[in-house]
Amino acid sequence: MPGVRAARGLVRAVRGWPRWYSTATEEVPADRPMKIRDKILTLQSMNPQVRAVEYAVRGPIVLRAAELEKELQRGVTKPFHEVIKANIGDAHAMGQQPITFLRQVVALCTYPDLLDNPSFPRDAKSRAVRILQSCGGQSLGSYSASQGVGCIREDVAQYIKDRDGGIPADPDNIYLTTGASDGIASILKILVSGEDKSRTGILIPIPQYPLYSAAISELDAIQVNYYLDEENCWALDVNELRRALYEAKGYCNPKVLCIINPGNPTGQVQSRRCIEEVIHFACEEGLFLLADEVYQDNVYSDSCKFHSFKKVLYEMGPEYFKHVELASFHSTSKGYTGECGYRGGYMEVVNLHPDIGAQLVKMLSVRLCPPVSGQAAMDVVVNPPHPDEESYEQFITEKEAVLSNLAYKAKMTEEIFNEIPGIKCNPLQGAMYAFPRVFIPSKAVQKAKDLGMAPDMFYCLQLLEETGICIVPGSGFGQKEGTHHFRMTILPSVEKLKTLLQKNNLDCKEKHCMVLLMGRSS
Amino acid sequence: MPGVRAARGLVRAVRGWPRWYSTATEEVPADRPMKIRDKILTLQSMNPQVRAVEYAVRGPIVLRAAELEKELQRGVTKPFHEVIKANIGDAHAMGQQPITFLRQVVALCTYPDLLDNPSFPRDAKSRAVRILQSCGGQSLGSYSASQGVGCIREDVAQYIKDRDGGIPADPDNIYLTTGASDGIASILKILVSGEDKSRTGILIPIPQYPLYSAAISELDAIQVNYYLDEENCWALDVNELRRALYEAKGYCNPKVLCIINPGNPTGQVQSRRCIEEVIHFACEEGLFLLADEVYQDNVYSDSCKFHSFKKVLYEMGPEYFKHVELASFHSTSKGYTGECGYRGGYMEVVNLHPDIGAQLVKMLSVRLCPPVSGQAAMDVVVNPPHPDEESYEQFITEKEAVLSNLAYKAKMTEEIFNEIPGIKCNPLQGAMYAFPRVFIPSKAVQKAKDLGMAPDMFYCLQLLEETGICIVPGSGFGQKEGTHHFRMTILPSVEKLKTLLQKNNLDCKEKHCMVLLMGRSS
């Protein structure tokens, strides 16, 4: 009986709860052996800002999923045969194939003997030679400049210029990074200062990608939430920004505004008009703008188009583009390449105070440089084969296969979710996630609270134990009080995704809806 | 006339001094245009801990060297034809060739079509297949677990076990990192806590590698200096550790002891007895031990042998190995591979409190994972070809060529330096740097101080302007008050290094010793 199984699973899951799920400082029990009590590094003595970090995307649900995978391997009987990890935007792990040209260029850079190999195309070879000529000793094994390999920064600048209809980009404003996360955390680190009431406030959307809340916690800054409008396709409303800002001024010094466009986890694509309003607001209120644009190639809805903050800023005229400080971020991990493991990324920073560029380079120098193979991968992302090159045809076929497949799954996900009672899903305009609202009966909410758990965490754990589907509760991203959601990637194959979506609908399939079960069992 | 040239160059260098050389907060002049005064991110408003960071290895000297390189390219006449960057341990940039087997394995992982290519050896293929099977979707482009790819952590554990004569190592205690710097900064980050007098004190050697002082500054912890004994080949004296610790207890909570062995920049290799004393001291005083062992393969002196802290800890018996918290670090960047650009590394952490492992994983999860290609490179470092494998012979030839060349240059460097009047150099027992003492006349010291510059910074800048040699002043690593040094890598080729060493000796070559010049010109 699924209900009993689910309940048993839940008890196991709660027992196996990782200690760090609770962020409160625990008292050390007096009966612990001396050798543990005497440790230097303990929950009590550790960095409290690190202790306070929560990171749901790789949190307790994911640890439980790994346990279940091991149980399956040991032959334990489960109501499913496979754990499907829809918790993280990890395209290749879900079966997406690498873009051939990208891997050819990186392989050639890695092992230049292959430059003599006739099976590698000439355009890949010329890319590799150009990158290697810009590396110390013509080797990926040399440190690059702290800001990144020179010719790759030039290619990034050219890419931005082309993307933005000819608006110039300066290679000196480009910083290659260890994925976008590293760039975002670096800029936030340099921005944070002050104590007590002058502590730096950082405005972030809710729901947000938890890198932001984690970085803010680590830096002991103040997280200032502005809420996206779920009723309006998760649009950003400047009035809500203003509310958040003015409330925050009472207890901190808000100086940074973070935007995620296309949205993660919410999948909305901001309109040009909305971006203009945000820039105007940032300019008026003296906020440093951070534009997380890693999903810029992932736009599926015909009615939507990606507009970069940089482009809109320039089109708004010199009173804006000469003043507003803006850092924008991109990555090898998303788009159609999905090269997460390479940890490649860049940031473009405009209107930095002339003193700050050197400070930024100094700070980045301490970590020496971003991984050079990741920089090479980034180079291919910004400089793919041109129509007159021999690899173009294969490249464009591969690229379009990935993007049209994602667009199909985005539509399918929205449709199937909206057929399920108790689930409501906004259109997935971009990015690679669904973030549907799930209506959990109040009794079940109470039951979860009795277990010391967020209700949607309880929901996701149940789903995992019952079906093997690993998704992340909305509470890990933030949501309006009293609402519940989950984030699920649309990266699994169409067949798997379909099964996965329908498994959310236990009500129809087994006349035994999980939500109802949770309501009854209380 | 070299004197005049040097003086002119110096003036240029001082004028072009990067603003961040001065860490003091500058007042913004009142006559600056509004648009600069209104910036959100300025020297005044930025994170003061970041502002306070100094990082000499990529500091002002290196920026000036880059300028000189550009001037040479533009055809400007200089007293040299080439800038030689002996400032950083960047082996491939200095012409060292990659180890073929390592690059073959990484290339195969990057572009698995090559698994069908008969020109790649079978042992490289089997390594690559094994790594890929441990990657999500069998792709380097997937995120790995936050702690690193499973089979690579197993290989690291096996490497440590073999290195340490069979003392066990647990893959669960291994964390793959983005170079050793990332691992060290991560552990320090989790260790730091407290305010005012309870702020975490971190003991570091002086001279040190400036990653330590930079990380301590960023974390707002307290740097506690213990001095290595230059008169005794830079040996570590536990009495000096004790002095430093007891003095520090008056103003902070010292809880971490950092050791660099073999030493950077000082090149000493610690004796087994000394390591025992350090471990005993850490155990007695309740200090968390950090052992930076990235130069473990770089030992040249016949009278020296590398002993890992982990091994000595275990050999000291259960009262030590069951208690002392130890993190030790290794990297792909040094040794005989010199793969700096891959940003590969690992740390092994033993005796962590059971609660802390999960905290550490959570903290690392925020950055998702170390670059997977760097992890693959690390795998080859810890699991090179075995004697019965087909790549063994070539591998061992390449490895020994690199190491014997470094050993030759270590000896040559010591000898040539000690022939130069005004320079005194300890034996380079290990690592890849010389850190000689340079005796600067008091008048020149005064002159440098008048220019607001450390005397050895003045010396290094002069040398750069005169000869094109880029080295790092001892003040960037720390040194006993009143002594002056510089750090120079021994990575350039034997011919280049010989020229470079002799160019330090302007006294002999041109009867115009820089040191004397500096004395006269005051």
Side-chain angles (χ1 to χ4, degrees):
Chain A
M1 221 188 94
V4 173
R5 269 206 309 265
R8 265 209 304 264
L10 183 66
V11 171
R12 275 198 306 274
V14 172
R15 268 197 204 133
W17 213 242
R19 297 186 69 89
W20 57 270
Y21 179 66
S22 159
T23 57
T25 305
E26 298 167 41
E27 288 301 311
V28 177
D31 59 351
R32 281 220 187 142
M34 201 59 183
K35 66 183 171 193
I36 289 194
R37 195 146 21 125
D38 282 341
K39 295 283 181 197
I40 297 150
L41 181 55
T42 63
L43 281 182
Q44 285 75 8
S45 74
M46 74 176 281
N47 185 332
Q49 273 90 52
V50 172
R51 190 174 55 224
V53 164
E54 292 185 38
Y55 192 68
V57 173
R58 292 197 154 192
I61 288 268
V62 185
L63 297 182
R64 178 69 189 142
E67 280 174 21
L68 287 172
E69 271 185 331
K70 280 186 190 155
E71 289 179 27
L72 283 177
Q73 278 165 14
R74 285 202 309 271
V76 178
T77 310
K78 295 277 162 195
F80 48 87
H81 301 293
E82 179 190 15
V83 172
I84 302 177
K85 289 192 183 154
N87 59 296
I88 189 168
D90 192 1
H92 293 197
M94 290 291 104
Q96 184 181 310
Q97 292 305 301
I99 296 291
T100 304
F101 185 75
L102 186 149
R103 292 301 187 90
Q104 285 173 331
V105 173
V106 179
L108 287 159
C109 290
T110 304
Y111 192 58
D113 283 13
L114 292 170
L115 290 166
D116 299 328
N117 186 316
S119 72
F120 279 77
R122 282 188 308 274
D123 47 1
K125 288 178 183 173
S126 66
R127 291 281 194 304
V129 167
R130 184 161 166 280
I131 292 169
L132 289 175
Q133 278 171 348
S134 204
C135 291
Q138 306 207 9
S139 168
L140 283 195
S142 299
Y143 292 120
S144 75
S146 311
Q147 217 175 326
V149 172
C151 78
I152 301 179
R153 289 192 287 119
E154 286 165 19
D155 288 348
V156 169
Q158 187 61 46
Y159 162 81
I160 293 172
K161 187 178 170 195
D162 295 344
R163 179 196 69 188
D164 291 345
I167 290 167
D170 183 344
D172 286 346
N173 291 341
I174 308 297
Y175 298 78
L176 295 168
T177 59
T178 309
S181 299
D182 170 56
I184 294 165
S186 297
I187 283 287
L188 288 177
K189 192 198 275 179
I190 204 169
L191 273 159
V192 161
S193 64
E195 280 172 27
D196 296 328
K197 283 203 178 173
S198 73
R199 272 162 78 196
T200 300
I202 298 169
L203 283 95
I204 62 169
I206 295 294
Q208 53 117 15
Y209 175 58
L211 161 70
Y212 291 92
S213 51
I216 291 169
S217 173
E218 279 191 8
L219 292 166
D220 205 17
I222 302 285
Q223 174 177 328
V224 179
N225 296 336
Y226 66 89
Y227 288 82
L228 300 175
D229 183 2
E230 182 164 18
E231 302 310 311
N232 191 14
C233 272
W234 296 113
L236 190 164
D237 178 354
V238 174
N239 291 320
E240 165 60 11
L241 272 186
R242 192 166 287 118
R243 177 207 62 76
L245 178 70
Y246 280 80
E247 279 184 30
K249 282 184 173 175
Y251 56 87
C252 69
N253 173 25
K255 69 182 186 197
V256 188
L257 169 55
C258 301
I259 307 284
I260 313 175
N261 178 49
N264 176 5
T266 39
Q268 84 286 9
V269 177
Q270 266 184 292
S271 70
R272 195 185 177 294
R273 190 200 162 103
C274 174
I275 294 174
E276 258 185 45
E277 288 174 1
V278 169
I279 291 173
H280 179 76
F281 175 79
C283 185
E284 221 173 15
E285 300 290 351
L287 296 170
F288 193 110
L289 262 176
L290 256 62
D292 176 343
E293 300 178 327
V294 300
Y295 296 100
Q296 58 190 266
D297 286 322
N298 300 99
V299 176
Y300 313 118
S301 185
D302 290 338
S303 58
C304 297
K305 189 174 173 302
F306 170 74
H307 303 275
S308 79
F309 267 73
K310 166 87 180 303
K311 178 168 189 258
V312 177
L313 179 68
Y314 272 67
E315 288 171 350
M316 285 171 73
E319 67 270 43
Y320 293 94
F321 77 67
K322 286 192 174 166
H323 298 278
V324 176
E325 292 153 84
L326 166 69
S328 49
F329 305 89
H330 197 11
S331 160
T332 58
S333 304
K334 310 302 170 187
Y336 50 89
T337 49
E339 295 282 10
C340 309
Y342 276 95
R343 314 308 301 121
Y346 76 75
M347 58 182 175
E348 183 189 25
V349 195
V350 297
N351 287 317
L352 267 197
H353 189 290
D355 293 338
I356 294 296
Q359 289 287 338
L360 193 50
V361 170
K362 176 190 73 174
M363 187 181 81
L364 298 173
S365 295
V366 176
R367 301 296 182 91
L368 299 159
C369 68
V372 182
S373 50
Q375 296 185 44
M378 193 74 236
D379 190 60
V380 182
V381 171
V382 296
N383 185 21
H386 309 155
D388 59 347
E389 290 183 310
E390 71 181 286
S391 298
Y392 182 74
E393 203 176 325
Q394 183 181 0
F395 165 74
I396 213 77
T397 308
E398 292 177 357
K399 170 182 170 175
E400 286 178 357
V402 172
L403 290 178
S404 65
N405 184 255
L406 283 171
Y408 176 79
K409 291 190 287 190
K411 193 81 199 141
M412 180 180 86
T413 300
E414 179 196 343
E415 286 171 3
I416 298 186
F417 269 148
N418 283 325
E419 285 166 9
I420 300 178
I423 288 184
K424 196 176 156 217
C425 185
N426 268 323
L428 283 67
Q429 299 171 337
M432 40 184 66
Y433 313 99
F435 194 70
R437 182 162 177 190
V438 48
F439 294 86
I440 305 180
S442 56
K443 274 186 176 175
V445 170
Q446 191 52 51
K447 169 107 182 131
K449 283 185 180 162
D450 293 347
L451 285 164
M453 216 185 274
D456 45 15
M457 173 66 89
F458 186 64
Y459 176 90
C460 292
L461 258 181
Q462 289 266 20
L463 189 73
L464 176 64
E465 298 289 340
E466 270 298 293
T467 65
I469 300 171
C470 178
I471 55 178
V472 190
S475 46
F477 303 89
Q479 54 202 351
K480 225 180 215 169
E481 182 71 25
T483 69
H484 304 110
H485 302 78
F486 59 81
R487 188 186 84 163
M488 193 191 79
T489 73
I490 57 167
L491 292 169
S493 67
V494 171
E495 298 68 39
K496 224 175 236 183
L497 186 64
K498 207 174 270 177
T499 319
L500 198 149
L501 291 164
Q502 283 159 348
K503 273 190 180 173
N504 265 284
N505 186 6
L506 295 190
D507 186 40
C508 305
K509 266 189 71 194
E510 309 190 30
K511 304 282 173 213
H512 203 99
C513 172
M514 182 165 305
V515 176
L516 294 177
L517 158 78
M518 286 158 63
R520 274 214 302 277
S521 69
S522 63
Chain B
M1 219 187 96
V4 173
R5 268 205 310 263
R8 267 209 303 265
L10 183 65
V11 170
R12 274 198 306 276
V14 172
R15 269 197 203 134
W17 212 243
R19 297 185 70 88
W20 58 269
Y21 179 66
S22 158
T23 58
T25 305
E26 297 169 41
E27 287 301 312
V28 177
D31 60 350
R32 278 216 191 148
M34 201 58 182
K35 65 183 173 194
I36 289 193
R37 198 153 8 130
D38 282 340
K39 294 282 183 199
I40 297 150
L41 181 55
T42 63
L43 282 182
Q44 285 75 8
S45 73
M46 73 178 281
N47 185 333
Q49 273 90 52
V50 172
R51 189 173 56 224
V53 164
E54 292 186 38
Y55 192 68
V57 173
R58 292 197 154 190
I61 289 269
V62 185
L63 298 182
R64 177 69 189 143
E67 280 174 18
L68 287 173
E69 271 184 331
K70 281 187 191 156
E71 289 180 27
L72 284 177
Q73 280 165 12
R74 285 202 308 272
V76 178
T77 311
K78 295 276 163 196
F80 48 88
H81 301 293
E82 178 190 18
V83 173
I84 302 177
K85 287 191 184 155
N87 59 297
I88 189 165
D90 191 1
H92 293 198
M94 291 291 105
Q96 183 181 310
Q97 293 305 300
I99 297 290
T100 303
F101 184 75
L102 186 148
R103 292 302 188 92
Q104 286 173 330
V105 173
V106 179
L108 287 159
C109 290
T110 304
Y111 192 58
D113 283 14
L114 293 169
L115 290 167
D116 298 329
N117 185 317
S119 71
F120 280 78
R122 280 187 309 273
D123 45 3
K125 288 179 182 172
S126 67
R127 292 280 195 303
V129 167
R130 185 160 165 279
I131 292 169
L132 289 175
Q133 279 170 348
S134 203
C135 291
Q138 306 208 8
S139 168
L140 281 195
S142 299
Y143 293 119
S144 75
S146 312
Q147 216 176 326
V149 172
C151 78
I152 301 179
R153 289 192 287 119
E154 285 165 20
D155 288 349
V156 169
Q158 187 62 46
Y159 161 81
I160 293 171
K161 187 180 170 193
D162 294 345
R163 178 196 70 189
D164 291 345
I167 290 167
D170 183 345
D172 286 345
N173 292 341
I174 309 297
Y175 298 77
L176 294 168
T177 59
T178 309
S181 299
D182 170 56
I184 293 165
S186 297
I187 283 287
L188 288 177
K189 192 199 276 181
I190 204 168
L191 273 159
V192 161
S193 64
E195 281 173 25
D196 297 329
K197 284 202 176 173
S198 74
R199 274 162 76 196
T200 302
I202 298 171
L203 283 95
I204 62 169
I206 296 294
Q208 54 119 13
Y209 175 58
L211 160 70
Y212 290 92
S213 51
I216 290 169
S217 173
E218 279 192 6
L219 291 166
D220 206 17
I222 303 285
Q223 174 176 327
V224 179
N225 296 337
Y226 65 89
Y227 288 83
L228 301 175
D229 183 3
E230 181 164 18
E231 303 310 311
N232 191 14
C233 274
W234 297 112
L236 190 164
D237 179 354
V238 174
N239 291 321
E240 166 59 10
L241 271 187
R242 192 166 285 119
R243 177 207 61 76
L245 177 72
Y246 281 80
E247 279 183 31
K249 283 185 171 173
Y251 55 88
C252 67
N253 172 24
K255 69 181 186 199
V256 188
L257 170 55
C258 301
I259 307 283
I260 312 175
N261 178 49
N264 176 7
T266 41
Q268 84 286 9
V269 177
Q270 266 183 294
S271 70
R272 196 185 176 294
R273 190 201 162 102
C274 174
I275 294 173
E276 258 185 44
E277 287 174 1
V278 169
I279 292 173
H280 179 76
F281 175 78
C283 185
E284 222 173 14
E285 300 290 351
L287 296 169
F288 194 109
L289 262 175
L290 257 61
D292 177 343
E293 301 178 328
V294 299
Y295 297 100
Q296 58 190 267
D297 285 322
N298 300 100
V299 176
Y300 313 118
S301 185
D302 291 337
S303 58
C304 296
K305 190 175 174 303
F306 170 75
H307 303 274
S308 79
F309 267 72
K310 166 88 181 299
K311 178 168 190 258
V312 177
L313 178 68
Y314 272 67
E315 288 171 351
M316 286 169 74
E319 66 270 44
Y320 294 94
F321 77 67
K322 286 192 174 170
H323 298 278
V324 176
E325 291 152 85
L326 166 69
S328 49
F329 305 89
H330 197 12
S331 161
T332 58
S333 304
K334 311 302 170 189
Y336 51 88
T337 50
E339 296 281 9
C340 309
Y342 277 95
R343 314 308 300 123
Y346 76 76
M347 58 182 177
E348 182 189 26
V349 195
V350 297
N351 287 318
L352 267 198
H353 188 291
D355 293 338
I356 295 295
Q359 289 286 338
L360 192 51
V361 170
K362 176 190 71 173
M363 187 180 81
L364 300 173
S365 295
V366 177
R367 300 297 181 91
L368 298 159
C369 69
V372 182
S373 50
Q375 297 185 45
M378 192 74 237
D379 189 61
V380 181
V381 171
V382 297
N383 185 20
H386 310 155
D388 59 346
E389 290 182 310
E390 71 181 283
S391 298
Y392 182 75
E393 203 175 323
Q394 184 182 0
F395 165 74
I396 214 74
T397 307
E398 292 176 357
K399 170 182 172 175
E400 286 178 357
V402 172
L403 290 179
S404 64
N405 185 256
L406 282 170
Y408 177 79
K409 292 189 288 191
K411 191 83 199 138
M412 180 179 87
T413 300
E414 179 196 344
E415 286 172 2
I416 298 185
F417 269 148
N418 284 325
E419 284 166 7
I420 300 177
I423 289 184
K424 195 176 157 217
C425 186
N426 268 324
L428 284 66
Q429 299 171 336
M432 39 185 67
Y433 314 98
F435 194 70
R437 179 162 178 190
V438 46
F439 294 86
I440 305 180
S442 56
K443 274 186 176 175
V445 171
Q446 191 52 51
K447 170 108 182 129
K449 284 187 180 160
D450 293 347
L451 286 164
M453 217 185 273
D456 44 15
M457 172 66 88
F458 186 64
Y459 175 91
C460 291
L461 258 180
Q462 288 266 19
L463 189 73
L464 176 64
E465 298 289 340
E466 270 297 294
T467 65
I469 299 172
C470 178
I471 55 178
V472 190
S475 45
F477 303 90
Q479 53 200 350
K480 224 179 216 169
E481 183 69 27
T483 69
H484 304 110
H485 302 78
F486 58 82
R487 188 187 84 161
M488 193 190 79
T489 73
I490 57 167
L491 291 169
S493 67
V494 170
E495 300 67 40
K496 222 174 238 184
L497 187 65
K498 206 173 270 177
T499 319
L500 197 150
L501 291 165
Q502 282 159 348
K503 274 189 178 173
N504 266 285
N505 185 7
L506 295 188
D507 187 41
C508 306
K509 265 188 70 194
E510 309 191 28
K511 302 283 175 216
H512 204 97
C513 172
M514 183 165 305
V515 176
L516 293 177
L517 160 76
M518 285 158 63
R520 272 215 303 276
S521 69
S522 63

